Amino acid sequence: MSFVYILLMQATVILYLHSEVTGKVEFTNLKCTSFDPKFSEFEYCHFKAINRTFKYLSLKVKLYETPITNVKVNVALLKRFGGYKPFLYNVTVDACKFLKNPSSNAVIVYLHGFFKSHSNMNHTCPYDHDLIVDKLTADFLNTQVTEVISFPFGEFLFQSQWFAYDILRASVNVYVTLS
Ligand SMILES: *[C@@H]1O[C@H](CO)[C@@H](O)[C@H](O)[C@H]1NC(C)=O
Ligand SMILES: *[C@@H]1O[C@H](CO)[C@@H](O)[C@H](O)[C@H]1NC(C)=O
Ligand SMILES: *[C@@H]1O[C@H](CO)[C@@H](O)[C@H](O)[C@H]1NC(C)=O
């Protein structure tokens, strides 16, 4: 399950499609939840702020029932208005089909290039090994936001729910601010 890979591809597609104001995207937190520890577990899942400008996400997912050939992900964007409320986007994607043809979308080609150096999730299904995202920074979102699109300022939550064989296995929530 290419958790953050798909999540962030989706995030960039969202940012790409909805334009208002330009600004800087920063990660503020990361929360991973396993609903089915017999299937998959997070060995670690952390957000690190080394200093004001260098912040990154790292996570490792251990997969216990490999190979995995069927993955769906529901990604919803929420914006903070007091509490987090659904905002613009809520979609379910067949991840294996989506990864099979990344060249169909210029944004995904861009992200694929980015991920090659940060993750071992850079291939199509099946997944038969533990998944790692290593020191992923928000730089690529910043590039999209500042050079390509714009987006309303505020606090956002990219909420993702991960299904294998149509059973909910895990969630990964990425909190970001745009200022
Ligand atoms: C933040 O930390 C990174 C990595 O250690 C370093 O390269 C960078 O110079 C630091 N930036 C500031 C403003 O201290
Ligand atoms: C997204 O849509 C699904 C299906 O309609 C729904 O179950 C889920 O609660 C929605 N998520 C959010 C954050 O609104
Ligand atoms: C995927 O990432 C690995 C490790 O970073 C790299 O060796 C490999 O060439 C990459 N594969 C593709 C298809 O980019």
Side-chain angles (χ1 to χ4, degrees):
M1 282 176 279
S2 52
F3 292 143
V4 166
Y5 184 52
I6 295 287
L7 174 63
L8 292 173
M9 285 195 287
Q10 288 300 315
T12 296
V13 170
I14 294 161
L15 293 170
Y16 192 81
L17 293 174
H18 300 281
S19 309
E20 281 177 28
V21 186
T22 55
K24 182 173 161 56
V25 180
E26 282 194 85
F27 292 142
T28 55
N29 211 347
L30 174 68
K31 191 174 174 196
C32 305
T33 307
S34 172
F35 298 108
D36 188 354
K38 284 186 186 149
F39 186 85
S40 62
E41 275 183 317
F42 293 93
E43 186 174 314
Y44 54 79
C45 164
H46 40 234
F47 164 74
K48 283 238 168 91
I50 301 300
N51 54 39
R52 270 186 68 83
T53 54
F54 189 57
K55 299 172 184 180
Y56 62 78
L57 311 180
S58 293
L59 64 83
K60 180 172 179 182
V61 184
K62 297 185 80 73
L63 300 178
Y64 300 127
E65 293 180 24
T66 58
I68 297 171
T69 57
N70 179 298
V71 180
K72 291 194 183 76
V73 57
N74 171 257
V75 180
L77 179 64
L78 295 87
K79 187 176 191 298
R80 192 166 181 178
F81 299 102
Y84 283 98
K85 304 282 172 22
F87 183 72
L88 292 177
Y89 201 73
N90 180 353
V91 70
T92 300
V93 179
D94 183 321
C96 291
K97 280 187 191 161
F98 190 71
L99 282 167
K100 216 168 174 176
N101 194 14
S103 62
S104 62
N105 185 311
V107 176
I108 292 166
V109 170
Y110 174 85
L111 282 171
H112 188 256
F114 180 85
F115 258 85
K116 278 180 196 170
S117 54
H118 289 272
S119 174
N120 67 347
M121 303 175 186
N122 56 359
H123 63 79
T124 54
C125 300
Y127 283 101
D128 58 2
H129 54 77
D130 294 344
L131 304 176
I132 293 168
V133 173
D134 188 42
K135 295 194 172 85
L136 179 67
T137 69
D139 288 350
F140 72 106
L141 288 178
N142 279 322
T143 305
Q144 292 295 312
V145 167
T146 56
E147 291 174 15
V148 184
I149 57 103
S150 38
F151 208 66
F153 293 161
E155 294 176 57
F156 297 90
L157 163 57
F158 291 110
Q159 184 183 74
S160 66
Q161 294 192 303
W162 294 85
F163 300 81
Y165 310 103
D166 295 318
I167 298 169
L168 179 62
R169 311 290 183 164
S171 70
V172 176
N173 291 345
V174 180
Y175 296 80
V176 305
T177 58
L178 180 65
S179 54

